[in-house]
Amino acid sequence: MTVDAVTEMANNALYLIILVSLPVLLVSLIVGLIISIFQTVTSIQEQTLTFVPKIICVFLALMLFGHWMMSTMVEFTTQLWSSFSLYVHK
């Protein structure tokens, strides 16, 4: 296994991690930002107000994007294991 092959596998894995986690992180970021703006406008300084809406929205995002996330990870894993013989030298 060459350094280039290891670098390519690590690069692809990191790209997949970013790609798969992006929808859930964006939903959490947007909901947190909206709630923070709402707290600023209404002068409500309750720290725990953001947790319940974020949890609900993240759960809904996982339900919405979960199939795509899992199929993307399974596709990557299948591709990685199917090309395993290319990485092993005798």
Coordinates of all heavy atoms in Angstrom, one line a residue:
M1 N 0.9 -1.2 0.0 CA 0.0 0.0 0.0 C 0.9 1.2 0.0 O 1.8 1.4 0.8 CB -0.9 0.0 1.2 CG -1.9 1.1 1.3 SD -3.0 1.1 2.7 CE -4.3 0.1 2.0
T2 N 0.7 2.1 -0.9 CA 1.5 3.3 -1.0 C 0.9 4.4 -0.2 O -0.2 4.4 0.2 CB 1.6 3.7 -2.5 OG1 0.3 4.1 -2.9 CG2 2.1 2.6 -3.4
V3 N 1.7 5.4 0.0 CA 1.3 6.6 0.7 C 0.2 7.3 0.0 O -0.8 7.8 0.6 CB 2.5 7.6 0.9 CG1 2.1 8.8 1.6 CG2 3.6 6.9 1.7
D4 N 0.2 7.3 -1.4 CA -0.8 8.0 -2.1 C -2.2 7.3 -1.9 O -3.2 7.9 -1.9 CB -0.5 7.9 -3.6 CG 0.7 8.8 -3.9 OD1 1.0 9.8 -3.2 OD2 1.4 8.6 -4.9
A5 N -2.2 5.9 -1.9 CA -3.4 5.2 -1.7 C -4.0 5.5 -0.3 O -5.2 5.7 -0.1 CB -3.2 3.7 -1.8
V6 N -3.2 5.5 0.7 CA -3.6 5.9 2.1 C -4.2 7.3 2.1 O -5.2 7.6 2.7 CB -2.5 5.7 3.1 CG1 -2.9 6.1 4.5 CG2 -2.1 4.2 3.1
T7 N -3.5 8.2 1.5 CA -3.9 9.6 1.5 C -5.2 9.7 0.8 O -6.1 10.5 1.2 CB -2.8 10.5 0.8 OG1 -1.6 10.3 1.4 CG2 -3.2 11.9 0.8
E8 N -5.4 9.0 -0.3 CA -6.7 9.1 -1.1 C -7.8 8.5 -0.3 O -8.9 9.1 -0.2 CB -6.5 8.3 -2.4 CG -7.8 8.4 -3.2 CD -7.7 7.6 -4.5 OE1 -6.6 7.1 -4.9 OE2 -8.7 7.4 -5.2
M9 N -7.6 7.4 0.4 CA -8.6 6.8 1.3 C -9.0 7.7 2.4 O -10.2 7.9 2.7 CB -8.2 5.4 1.8 CG -8.2 4.3 0.9 SD -8.0 2.7 1.6 CE -6.7 2.9 2.7
A10 N -8.0 8.3 3.0 CA -8.3 9.2 4.1 C -9.0 10.5 3.6 O -10.0 11.0 4.3 CB -7.0 9.6 4.8
N11 N -8.6 11.0 2.5 CA -9.3 12.1 1.9 C -10.8 11.8 1.6 O -11.6 12.6 1.9 CB -8.5 12.6 0.6 CG -9.0 13.9 0.1 OD1 -9.7 14.6 0.8 ND2 -8.7 14.1 -1.2
N12 N -11.0 10.7 1.0 CA -12.4 10.3 0.7 C -13.2 10.1 1.9 O -14.4 10.4 2.0 CB -12.4 9.0 -0.2 CG -11.9 9.2 -1.6 OD1 -11.8 10.4 -2.1 ND2 -11.4 8.2 -2.2
A13 N -12.6 9.5 2.9 CA -13.3 9.3 4.2 C -13.7 10.6 4.9 O -14.8 10.8 5.4 CB -12.5 8.4 5.1
L14 N -12.8 11.5 4.9 CA -13.0 12.8 5.5 C -14.1 13.6 4.7 O -15.0 14.3 5.3 CB -11.8 13.7 5.6 CG -10.8 13.2 6.7 CD1 -9.5 14.0 6.6 CD2 -11.4 13.3 8.1
Y15 N -14.0 13.5 3.4 CA -15.0 14.2 2.6 C -16.4 13.6 2.8 O -17.4 14.3 2.9 CB -14.7 14.0 1.1 CG -15.7 14.6 0.1 CD1 -15.9 15.9 0.0 CD2 -16.5 13.7 -0.6 CE1 -16.8 16.5 -0.8 CE2 -17.5 14.2 -1.4 CZ -17.6 15.6 -1.6 OH -18.6 16.1 -2.4
L16 N -16.5 12.2 3.0 CA -17.7 11.6 3.3 C -18.3 12.0 4.6 O -19.5 12.2 4.8 CB -17.6 10.1 3.2 CG -18.8 9.3 3.5 CD1 -19.8 9.4 2.3 CD2 -18.5 7.8 3.8
I17 N -17.4 12.1 5.6 CA -17.8 12.5 7.0 C -18.4 13.9 6.9 O -19.5 14.2 7.5 CB -16.7 12.5 7.9 CG1 -16.3 11.0 8.2 CG2 -17.0 13.2 9.2 CD1 -14.9 10.9 9.0
I18 N -17.8 14.8 6.2 CA -18.3 16.2 6.1 C -19.6 16.2 5.3 O -20.6 16.9 5.7 CB -17.3 17.1 5.4 CG1 -16.1 17.3 6.3 CG2 -17.9 18.4 5.0 CD1 -14.9 18.0 5.7
L19 N -19.7 15.5 4.2 CA -20.9 15.4 3.4 C -22.1 14.8 4.2 O -23.2 15.4 4.1 CB -20.6 14.6 2.1 CG -21.7 14.6 1.1 CD1 -21.9 15.9 0.5 CD2 -21.4 13.5 0.1
V20 N -21.9 13.8 4.9 CA -23.0 13.1 5.6 C -23.4 13.9 6.8 O -24.6 14.0 7.2 CB -22.6 11.7 6.0 CG1 -23.5 11.1 7.0 CG2 -22.5 10.8 4.8
S21 N -22.5 14.6 7.5 CA -22.9 15.3 8.7 C -23.4 16.7 8.4 O -24.0 17.4 9.3 CB -21.7 15.4 9.7 OG -20.7 16.2 9.1
L22 N -23.2 17.2 7.2 CA -23.6 18.6 6.9 C -25.1 18.9 7.0 O -25.4 19.9 7.6 CB -23.1 18.9 5.5 CG -23.2 20.4 5.0 CD1 -22.3 21.2 5.9 CD2 -22.8 20.5 3.6
P23 N -26.0 18.0 6.6 CA -27.4 18.4 6.7 C -27.9 18.6 8.2 O -28.6 19.6 8.5 CB -28.2 17.3 6.0 CG -27.2 16.6 5.2 CD -25.9 16.8 5.8
V24 N -27.5 17.7 9.0 CA -27.9 17.7 10.4 C -27.2 18.9 11.1 O -27.9 19.7 11.9 CB -27.5 16.4 11.2 CG1 -27.8 16.5 12.6 CG2 -28.2 15.3 10.5
L25 N -26.0 19.2 10.8 CA -25.3 20.3 11.4 C -25.9 21.7 11.0 O -26.0 22.6 11.7 CB -23.8 20.3 11.1 CG -23.0 19.2 11.8 CD1 -21.6 19.2 11.4 CD2 -23.1 19.3 13.3
L26 N -26.2 21.7 9.7 CA -26.8 23.0 9.2 C -28.2 23.2 9.8 O -28.5 24.3 10.1 CB -27.0 22.9 7.6 CG -25.7 23.2 6.9 CD1 -26.0 23.0 5.4 CD2 -25.2 24.6 7.1
V27 N -29.0 22.2 10.0 CA -30.3 22.3 10.6 C -30.1 22.8 12.0 O -30.8 23.7 12.5 CB -31.1 21.0 10.6 CG1 -32.3 21.0 11.5 CG2 -31.6 20.7 9.2
S28 N -29.2 22.2 12.8 CA -28.9 22.6 14.1 C -28.4 24.1 14.2 O -28.8 24.8 15.1 CB -27.9 21.7 14.8 OG -27.6 22.1 16.1
L29 N -27.6 24.4 13.3 CA -27.1 25.8 13.2 C -28.2 26.8 12.9 O -28.3 27.8 13.6 CB -26.0 25.9 12.2 CG -25.4 27.3 11.9 CD1 -24.4 27.7 13.0 CD2 -24.7 27.3 10.6
I30 N -29.0 26.5 12.0 CA -30.1 27.5 11.6 C -31.1 27.6 12.7 O -31.5 28.7 13.0 CB -30.7 27.0 10.3 CG1 -29.7 27.2 9.1 CG2 -32.0 27.8 10.0 CD1 -30.1 26.6 7.8
V31 N -31.5 26.5 13.3 CA -32.4 26.5 14.4 C -31.9 27.3 15.6 O -32.5 28.1 16.2 CB -32.9 25.1 14.8 CG1 -33.7 25.1 16.1 CG2 -33.7 24.5 13.7
G32 N -30.6 27.1 15.9 CA -30.0 27.8 17.0 C -29.9 29.3 16.7 O -30.1 30.1 17.6
L33 N -29.6 29.6 15.5 CA -29.5 31.0 15.1 C -30.9 31.7 15.2 O -31.0 32.8 15.7 CB -29.0 31.2 13.7 CG -28.7 32.6 13.2 CD1 -27.7 33.3 14.0 CD2 -28.3 32.6 11.7
I34 N -31.9 31.0 14.7 CA -33.3 31.6 14.8 C -33.7 31.8 16.2 O -34.2 32.8 16.6 CB -34.2 30.7 14.0 CG1 -34.0 30.8 12.5 CG2 -35.7 31.1 14.3 CD1 -34.7 29.8 11.7
I35 N -33.4 30.8 17.1 CA -33.8 30.9 18.5 C -33.0 32.0 19.2 O -33.5 32.7 20.0 CB -33.7 29.6 19.2 CG1 -34.7 28.6 18.6 CG2 -33.9 29.7 20.7 CD1 -34.6 27.2 19.1
S36 N -31.7 32.1 18.9 CA -30.9 33.2 19.5 C -31.4 34.6 19.1 O -31.4 35.5 19.9 CB -29.5 33.0 19.0 OG -28.9 31.9 19.5
I37 N -31.8 34.7 17.8 CA -32.4 36.0 17.4 C -33.7 36.3 18.1 O -33.9 37.4 18.6 CB -32.6 36.0 15.8 CG1 -31.2 36.1 15.1 CG2 -33.4 37.2 15.4 CD1 -31.3 35.9 13.6
F38 N -34.5 35.3 18.2 CA -35.8 35.4 19.0 C -35.5 35.8 20.4 O -36.2 36.7 21.0 CB -36.6 34.1 18.9 CG -37.8 34.1 19.7 CD1 -38.9 34.8 19.4 CD2 -37.8 33.4 20.9 CE1 -40.1 34.8 20.1 CE2 -39.0 33.3 21.7 CZ -40.1 34.1 21.3
Q39 N -34.5 35.2 21.1 CA -34.2 35.5 22.4 C -33.7 36.9 22.6 O -34.0 37.6 23.5 CB -33.1 34.6 23.0 CG -33.7 33.2 23.4 CD -32.6 32.3 23.9 OE1 -31.4 32.4 23.5 NE2 -32.9 31.5 24.9
T40 N -32.9 37.4 21.6 CA -32.4 38.7 21.6 C -33.5 39.8 21.4 O -33.6 40.8 22.1 CB -31.3 38.9 20.5 OG1 -30.3 38.0 20.7 CG2 -30.8 40.3 20.5
V41 N -34.4 39.5 20.5 CA -35.5 40.4 20.3 C -36.5 40.5 21.4 O -36.9 41.6 21.8 CB -36.3 40.0 19.0 CG1 -37.6 40.8 18.8 CG2 -35.4 40.2 17.8
T42 N -36.7 39.4 22.1 CA -37.7 39.4 23.2 C -37.1 39.5 24.6 O -37.8 39.5 25.6 CB -38.5 38.1 23.2 OG1 -37.6 37.0 23.3 CG2 -39.3 37.9 21.9
S43 N -35.8 39.6 24.6 CA -35.0 39.8 25.9 C -35.2 38.6 26.8 O -35.2 38.8 28.0 CB -35.4 41.1 26.6 OG -35.0 42.2 25.8
I44 N -35.5 37.4 26.3 CA -35.6 36.2 27.1 C -34.2 35.6 27.2 O -33.6 35.3 26.1 CB -36.5 35.2 26.4 CG1 -37.9 35.7 26.4 CG2 -36.5 33.9 27.2 CD1 -38.9 34.9 25.6
Q45 N -33.6 35.5 28.3 CA -32.3 35.0 28.5 C -32.2 33.6 29.1 O -31.4 33.3 29.9 CB -31.5 36.0 29.4 CG -31.3 37.4 28.7 CD -30.6 37.3 27.4 OE1 -29.7 36.5 27.2 NE2 -31.1 38.1 26.5
E46 N -33.2 32.8 28.7 CA -33.2 31.4 29.2 C -32.2 30.5 28.4 O -32.4 30.4 27.2 CB -34.6 30.8 29.1 CG -34.8 29.4 29.6 CD -34.5 29.3 31.1 OE1 -34.8 30.2 31.8 OE2 -34.0 28.2 31.5
Q47 N -31.3 29.9 29.1 CA -30.2 29.2 28.4 C -30.7 27.8 27.8 O -30.2 27.3 26.8 CB -29.0 28.9 29.3 CG -28.3 30.2 29.7 CD -27.7 30.9 28.6 OE1 -27.2 30.3 27.6 NE2 -27.8 32.2 28.6
T48 N -31.7 27.3 28.5 CA -32.2 25.9 28.1 C -33.3 26.0 27.0 O -33.8 25.0 26.6 CB -32.8 25.2 29.3 OG1 -33.9 26.0 29.8 CG2 -31.7 25.0 30.4
L49 N -33.6 27.2 26.5 CA -34.7 27.3 25.5 C -34.3 26.7 24.2 O -35.2 26.2 23.5 CB -35.0 28.8 25.4 CG -36.2 29.1 24.4 CD1 -37.5 28.6 24.9 CD2 -36.3 30.6 24.2
T50 N -33.0 26.7 23.9 CA -32.6 26.2 22.6 C -32.6 24.7 22.5 O -32.6 24.1 21.4 CB -31.2 26.7 22.2 OG1 -30.3 26.2 23.2 CG2 -31.2 28.2 22.2
F51 N -32.5 24.0 23.6 CA -32.3 22.5 23.5 C -33.5 21.7 22.9 O -33.3 20.9 22.0 CB -32.0 21.9 24.9 CG -30.7 22.4 25.4 CD1 -30.6 23.0 26.7 CD2 -29.5 22.1 24.7 CE1 -29.3 23.4 27.1 CE2 -28.3 22.5 25.2 CZ -28.2 23.2 26.4
V52 N -34.7 22.0 23.4 CA -35.8 21.2 22.9 C -36.1 21.4 21.4 O -36.2 20.5 20.6 CB -37.1 21.5 23.7 CG1 -38.3 20.8 23.1 CG2 -36.9 21.0 25.2
P53 N -36.1 22.7 20.9 CA -36.3 22.8 19.4 C -35.2 22.2 18.6 O -35.4 21.7 17.6 CB -36.4 24.3 19.3 CG -36.8 24.9 20.6 CD -36.2 24.0 21.6
K54 N -34.0 22.4 19.1 CA -32.8 21.8 18.4 C -32.9 20.3 18.3 O -32.7 19.7 17.3 CB -31.5 22.2 19.0 CG -30.9 23.4 18.5 CD -29.5 23.5 19.1 CE -28.8 24.8 18.7 NZ -27.5 24.9 19.2
I55 N -33.3 19.6 19.4 CA -33.4 18.2 19.5 C -34.5 17.7 18.5 O -34.3 16.8 17.8 CB -33.7 17.7 20.9 CG1 -32.4 17.9 21.8 CG2 -34.1 16.2 20.9 CD1 -32.6 17.6 23.2
I56 N -35.6 18.4 18.5 CA -36.7 18.0 17.7 C -36.3 18.2 16.2 O -36.6 17.3 15.3 CB -38.0 18.9 18.0 CG1 -38.5 18.4 19.4 CG2 -39.1 18.7 16.9 CD1 -39.6 19.3 19.9
C57 N -35.7 19.3 15.9 CA -35.3 19.6 14.5 C -34.2 18.6 14.0 O -34.2 18.2 12.8 CB -34.9 21.0 14.3 SG -36.3 22.2 14.4
V58 N -33.3 18.3 14.9 CA -32.2 17.4 14.5 C -32.9 16.0 14.3 O -32.5 15.3 13.3 CB -31.1 17.3 15.5 CG1 -30.2 16.1 15.4 CG2 -30.3 18.6 15.5
F59 N -33.8 15.6 15.1 CA -34.5 14.3 14.9 C -35.2 14.3 13.6 O -35.2 13.3 12.9 CB -35.4 14.1 16.1 CG -36.2 12.8 16.0 CD1 -35.6 11.6 16.2 CD2 -37.6 12.8 15.7 CE1 -36.3 10.4 16.0 CE2 -38.3 11.7 15.6 CZ -37.7 10.4 15.8
L60 N -35.9 15.4 13.3 CA -36.6 15.4 12.0 C -35.7 15.4 10.8 O -36.0 14.8 9.8 CB -37.5 16.7 12.0 CG -38.7 16.7 12.9 CD1 -39.4 18.1 12.9 CD2 -39.7 15.6 12.5
A61 N -34.5 16.1 11.0 CA -33.5 16.1 9.9 C -33.0 14.7 9.7 O -32.7 14.2 8.6 CB -32.4 17.0 10.2
L62 N -32.8 13.9 10.8 CA -32.3 12.6 10.7 C -33.3 11.7 10.0 O -33.0 10.8 9.3 CB -31.9 12.0 12.1 CG -30.6 12.5 12.7 CD1 -30.4 12.0 14.1 CD2 -29.4 12.1 11.8
M63 N -34.6 11.9 10.4 CA -35.6 11.1 9.7 C -35.7 11.5 8.2 O -35.9 10.6 7.4 CB -37.0 11.4 10.3 CG -37.1 10.8 11.7 SD -38.7 11.1 12.5 CE -39.9 10.4 11.3
L64 N -35.5 12.7 7.9 CA -35.6 13.2 6.5 C -34.3 12.7 5.7 O -34.5 12.2 4.5 CB -35.7 14.7 6.4 CG -35.9 15.3 5.0 CD1 -37.3 14.8 4.4 CD2 -35.9 16.8 5.1
F65 N -33.2 12.9 6.2 CA -31.9 12.6 5.5 C -31.3 11.3 5.9 O -30.2 11.0 5.3 CB -30.9 13.8 5.8 CG -31.3 15.1 5.2 CD1 -31.6 16.1 6.1 CD2 -31.3 15.3 3.9 CE1 -32.0 17.4 5.6 CE2 -31.7 16.6 3.4 CZ -32.0 17.6 4.3
G66 N -31.9 10.6 6.8 CA -31.3 9.3 7.3 C -31.0 8.3 6.2 O -30.0 7.7 6.2
H67 N -32.0 8.1 5.3 CA -31.9 7.1 4.3 C -30.7 7.5 3.3 O -29.9 6.6 3.0 CB -33.2 7.0 3.5 CG -33.1 6.0 2.3 ND1 -33.0 4.7 2.5 CD2 -33.0 6.2 1.0 CE1 -32.9 4.1 1.4 NE2 -32.9 5.0 0.4
W68 N -30.6 8.8 3.0 CA -29.6 9.2 2.1 C -28.2 9.1 2.8 O -27.2 8.6 2.2 CB -29.8 10.7 1.7 CG -28.6 11.2 1.0 CD1 -28.3 11.1 -0.3 CD2 -27.6 12.1 1.6 NE1 -27.1 11.7 -0.6 CE2 -26.7 12.4 0.5 CE3 -27.4 12.6 2.8 CZ2 -25.6 13.2 0.8 CZ3 -26.3 13.4 3.0 CH2 -25.4 13.7 2.0
M69 N -28.2 9.4 4.1 CA -26.9 9.3 4.8 C -26.4 7.9 4.9 O -25.2 7.6 4.6 CB -27.1 9.9 6.2 CG -27.3 11.4 6.2 SD -28.0 12.0 7.8 CE -26.5 11.9 8.8
M70 N -27.3 7.0 5.2 CA -27.0 5.6 5.3 C -26.6 5.0 4.0 O -25.6 4.2 3.9 CB -28.1 4.8 6.0 CG -27.8 3.3 6.2 SD -26.3 3.1 7.2 CE -27.1 3.3 8.8
S71 N -27.3 5.3 2.9 CA -27.0 4.7 1.6 C -25.6 5.3 1.1 O -24.9 4.5 0.5 CB -28.1 5.0 0.6 OG -28.2 6.4 0.4
T72 N -25.3 6.5 1.5 CA -24.0 7.1 1.1 C -22.9 6.4 1.8 O -21.9 6.0 1.2 CB -24.0 8.6 1.4 OG1 -25.1 9.2 0.7 CG2 -22.7 9.2 0.9
M73 N -23.1 6.1 3.1 CA -22.0 5.4 3.9 C -21.9 4.0 3.4 O -20.8 3.5 3.4 CB -22.4 5.5 5.4 CG -22.2 6.9 5.9 SD -22.4 7.0 7.7 CE -24.1 6.7 7.9
V74 N -23.0 3.3 3.1 CA -22.9 1.9 2.7 C -22.2 1.8 1.3 O -21.4 1.0 1.1 CB -24.3 1.3 2.6 CG1 -24.4 0.0 1.9 CG2 -24.9 1.1 4.0
E75 N -22.5 2.8 0.4 CA -21.9 2.8 -0.9 C -20.4 3.0 -0.7 O -19.6 2.4 -1.4 CB -22.5 4.0 -1.7 CG -21.9 4.1 -3.1 CD -22.6 5.3 -3.8 OE1 -23.7 5.5 -3.6 OE2 -21.8 5.9 -4.6
F76 N -20.0 3.9 0.2 CA -18.5 4.1 0.4 C -17.9 2.9 0.9 O -16.8 2.5 0.5 CB -18.3 5.3 1.3 CG -16.9 5.5 1.7 CD1 -16.0 6.1 0.8 CD2 -16.4 5.2 2.9 CE1 -14.7 6.3 1.1 CE2 -15.1 5.3 3.3 CZ -14.2 5.9 2.4
T77 N -18.5 2.3 1.9 CA -18.0 1.1 2.5 C -17.9 -0.1 1.5 O -16.9 -0.8 1.5 CB -18.8 0.6 3.7 OG1 -18.9 1.7 4.6 CG2 -18.2 -0.5 4.5
T78 N -18.9 -0.2 0.7 CA -18.9 -1.3 -0.3 C -17.8 -1.0 -1.3 O -17.0 -2.0 -1.7 CB -20.2 -1.3 -1.1 OG1 -21.3 -1.5 -0.1 CG2 -20.3 -2.4 -2.1
Q79 N -17.6 0.2 -1.7 CA -16.5 0.6 -2.7 C -15.2 0.3 -2.0 O -14.3 -0.2 -2.7 CB -16.7 2.0 -3.1 CG -15.7 2.5 -4.2 CD -14.5 3.1 -3.6 OE1 -14.5 3.7 -2.5 NE2 -13.4 3.1 -4.2
L80 N -15.0 0.6 -0.8 CA -13.8 0.5 -0.1 C -13.4 -1.0 0.0 O -12.3 -1.4 -0.2 CB -13.8 1.1 1.3 CG -12.5 1.2 2.1 CD1 -11.5 2.1 1.4 CD2 -12.8 1.7 3.5
W81 N -14.4 -1.8 0.4 CA -14.1 -3.3 0.6 C -14.0 -4.0 -0.8 O -13.2 -5.0 -0.9 CB -15.2 -3.9 1.4 CG -15.1 -3.7 2.9 CD1 -15.7 -2.8 3.6 CD2 -14.1 -4.4 3.7 NE1 -15.3 -2.9 4.9 CE2 -14.3 -3.8 5.0 CE3 -13.2 -5.4 3.5 CZ2 -13.6 -4.2 6.1 CZ3 -12.4 -5.8 4.6 CH2 -12.6 -5.2 5.9
S82 N -14.6 -3.5 -1.8 CA -14.5 -4.1 -3.1 C -13.1 -3.9 -3.7 O -12.6 -4.7 -4.5 CB -15.6 -3.7 -4.1 OG -15.5 -2.3 -4.3
S83 N -12.5 -2.8 -3.4 CA -11.2 -2.4 -3.9 C -10.1 -2.8 -2.9 O -9.0 -2.3 -3.0 CB -11.1 -1.0 -4.3 OG -11.3 -0.2 -3.1
F84 N -10.4 -3.6 -1.9 CA -9.5 -4.0 -0.9 C -8.3 -4.8 -1.5 O -7.2 -4.6 -1.0 CB -10.2 -4.8 0.2 CG -9.3 -5.1 1.4 CD1 -9.1 -4.1 2.3 CD2 -8.8 -6.4 1.6 CE1 -8.3 -4.4 3.4 CE2 -8.0 -6.6 2.7 CZ -7.8 -5.6 3.6
S85 N -8.5 -5.5 -2.5 CA -7.4 -6.3 -3.1 C -6.4 -5.4 -3.8 O -5.2 -5.8 -3.9 CB -8.0 -7.3 -4.1 OG -8.6 -6.6 -5.2
L86 N -6.8 -4.2 -4.1 CA -5.8 -3.3 -4.7 C -4.8 -2.8 -3.7 O -3.7 -2.3 -4.1 CB -6.5 -2.1 -5.4 CG -7.5 -2.5 -6.5 CD1 -8.2 -1.2 -7.0 CD2 -6.7 -3.1 -7.7
Y87 N -5.2 -2.8 -2.4 CA -4.4 -2.2 -1.4 C -3.5 -3.2 -0.7 O -2.6 -2.8 0.0 CB -5.3 -1.5 -0.3 CG -6.2 -0.4 -0.9 CD1 -7.6 -0.5 -0.7 CD2 -5.7 0.6 -1.7 CE1 -8.4 0.5 -1.2 CE2 -6.5 1.6 -2.3 CZ -7.9 1.5 -2.0 OH -8.7 2.4 -2.5
V88 N -3.7 -4.4 -0.9 CA -2.9 -5.5 -0.2 C -1.9 -6.0 -1.2 O -2.2 -6.4 -2.3 CB -3.9 -6.6 0.3 CG1 -3.0 -7.7 0.9 CG2 -4.9 -6.1 1.2
H89 N -0.7 -6.0 -0.7 CA 0.4 -6.5 -1.5 C 1.0 -7.8 -0.9 O 1.0 -7.9 0.3 CB 1.6 -5.5 -1.7 CG 1.2 -4.3 -2.5 ND1 1.1 -4.4 -3.9 CD2 0.9 -3.1 -2.1 CE1 0.7 -3.2 -4.3 NE2 0.6 -2.4 -3.3
K90 N 1.4 -8.7 -1.7 CA 2.0 -10.0 -1.1 C 3.4 -9.8 -0.8 O 4.1 -9.0 -1.2 CB 1.9 -11.1 -2.1 CG 0.4 -11.5 -2.4 CD 0.4 -12.6 -3.3 CE -1.1 -13.0 -3.5 NZ -1.2 -14.1 -4.4

